[in-house]
């Protein structure tokens, strides 16, 4: 039986289908940084996107926008090919705890957007990962530790709406989840492909933590016959359960 994707998005903590799809609730430790991906419809590819702070979209204050160079702790970037704009808040503090909107400016009409709530803690966040940006290699596997101190069901989801609870696949990549250890579930993605690249999210209860995966070829270099072959690894700069997200 077909299931409405917008209903599935609500079940998994992601929201938005007709305008923008984002995570809904994020916890981060004071002093850290957080990046939030905002997936938008193709009809908004050339519109100005922005992040604003406040409970209501029609009265929120701009934090960053794509038609103005970013400054301060807030930044925004727009990948028009993937139809995702990413907002980043650096060096978060208690005053950053609030509602925010990922929004698109509509000329001659009401802007469209979806909100998320950012909770800044002085101690351990409700849900977090070692790194939001990770790199894997074609044909290999990668593991992600999703640490939590939050009750509720766990999931590993793609921003497009596909999810796994224990084992399954997302974008043709095998996914297994090991939740035997306390306060952490370990996600393993096997048989990585270039198409596996993109945004995912650890989800536990009503909190989500976005993770961006980049899959590349492992570079190998060889010399002439009889000499030693060296391998060089590229590094970055710096329920089966399966259901829709």
């Amino acid at each position: 039986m077909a299931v409405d994707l917008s209903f599935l998005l609500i079940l998994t903590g992601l929201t938005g289908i007709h305008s923008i799809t984002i995570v809904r609730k994020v916890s981060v430790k004071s002093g850290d940084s957080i990046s939030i991906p905002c997936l938008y419809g193709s009809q908004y590819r050339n519109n100005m996107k922005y992040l604003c702070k406040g409970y209501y979209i029609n009265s929120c204050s701009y934090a960053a926008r794509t038609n103005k160079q970013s400054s301060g702790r807030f930044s925004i970037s727009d990948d028009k090919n993937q139809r995702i704009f990413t907002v980043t808040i650096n060096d978060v503090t208690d005053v950053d705890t609030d509602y925010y909107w990922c929004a698109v400016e509509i000329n001659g009409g009401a802007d469209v957007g979806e909100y998320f709530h950012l909770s800044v803690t002085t101690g351990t966040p409700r849900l977090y990962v070692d790194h939001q940006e990770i790199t894997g290699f074609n044909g290999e596997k990668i593991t992600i530790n999703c640490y939590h101190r939050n009750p509720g069901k766990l999931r590993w989801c793609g921003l497009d709406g596909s999810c796994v609870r224990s084992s399954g696949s997302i974008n043709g990549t095998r996914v297994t989840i090991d939740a035997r250890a306390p306060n952490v579930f370990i996600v393993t993605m096997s048989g990585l492909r270039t198409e596996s690249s993109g945004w995912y999210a650890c989800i536990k209860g009503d909190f989500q933590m976005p993770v961006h995966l980049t899959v590349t070829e492992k570079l190998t270099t060889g010399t002439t016959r009889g000499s030693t072959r060296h391998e060089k690894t590229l590094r970055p700069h710096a329920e089966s359960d399966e259901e829709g997200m």
Side-chain angles (χ1 to χ4, degrees):
M1 179 178 66
V3 181
D4 182 59
L5 180 56
S6 59
F7 174 70
L8 293 175
L9 288 169
I10 293 171
L11 285 180
T12 56
L14 299 183
T15 185
I17 183 62
H18 301 299
S19 55
I20 297 172
T21 302
I22 60 171
V23 297
R24 180 64 91 193
K25 197 171 184 180
V26 181
S27 177
V28 62
K29 186 176 181 179
S30 180
D32 288 350
S33 299
I34 184 72
S35 292
I36 304 294
C38 312
L39 174 66
Y40 57 86
S42 58
Q43 68 271 37
Y44 304 127
R45 182 171 280 111
N46 295 317
N47 293 62
M48 189 271 284
K49 290 88 179 178
Y50 62 91
L51 172 71
C52 66
K53 180 179 181 180
Y55 192 78
Y56 298 104
I57 190 172
N58 57 1
S59 61
C60 61
S61 57
Y62 282 121
R65 45 187 174 178
T66 55
N67 66 346
K68 184 177 181 180
Q69 185 174 356
S70 299
S71 61
R73 297 183 301 112
F74 297 86
S75 63
I76 186 170
S77 62
D78 186 9
D79 185 337
K80 294 184 178 181
N81 292 326
Q82 298 297 319
R83 294 185 293 104
I84 295 175
F85 67 94
T86 304
V87 297
T88 299
I89 307 174
N90 294 304
D91 194 21
V92 299
T93 66
D94 290 345
V95 298
D96 294 320
T97 294
D98 209 331
Y99 288 91
Y100 294 83
W101 291 84
C102 281
V104 175
E105 183 179 69
I106 305 298
N107 293 325
D111 292 354
V112 297
E114 291 287 345
Y115 76 86
F116 65 91
H117 184 265
L118 176 65
S119 174
V120 180
T121 69
T122 55
T124 304
R126 306 293 293 185
L127 177 64
Y128 66 99
V129 292
D130 295 311
H131 304 285
Q132 274 196 281
E133 289 281 348
I134 57 176
T135 300
F137 301 104
N138 271 313
E140 298 190 1
K141 66 181 180 180
I142 195 166
T143 59
I144 303 96
N145 295 327
C146 302
Y147 306 97
H148 61 85
R149 57 182 188 91
N150 192 51
K153 295 181 179 180
L154 61 87
R155 296 174 178 86
W156 173 256
C157 297
L159 194 60
D160 63 354
S162 50
C163 289
V164 171
R165 281 190 179 178
S166 60
S167 65
S169 64
I170 298 178
N171 296 328
T173 301
R174 183 68 179 171
V175 177
T176 58
I177 298 177
D178 183 348
R180 292 173 294 180
N183 303 117
V184 61
F185 62 93
I186 303 169
V187 178
T188 300
M189 299 181 69
S190 306
L192 295 174
R193 307 180 302 159
T194 302
E195 294 80 6
S196 307
S197 297
W199 280 99
Y200 298 84
C202 299
I203 298 178
K204 186 68 164 64
D206 55 352
F207 280 88
Q208 308 88 40
M209 174 52 65
V211 177
H212 186 263
L213 169 64
T214 300
V215 179
T216 65
E217 291 288 347
K218 178 176 284 188
L219 179 63
T220 60
T221 58
T223 56
T224 58
R225 179 181 296 181
S227 61
T228 303
R229 176 173 174 168
H230 301 279
E231 185 175 271
K232 180 172 67 176
T233 302
L234 293 175
R235 298 292 183 189
H237 291 298
E239 247 162 42
S240 132
D241 275 339
E242 182 177 354
E243 60 181 73
M245 185 163 7

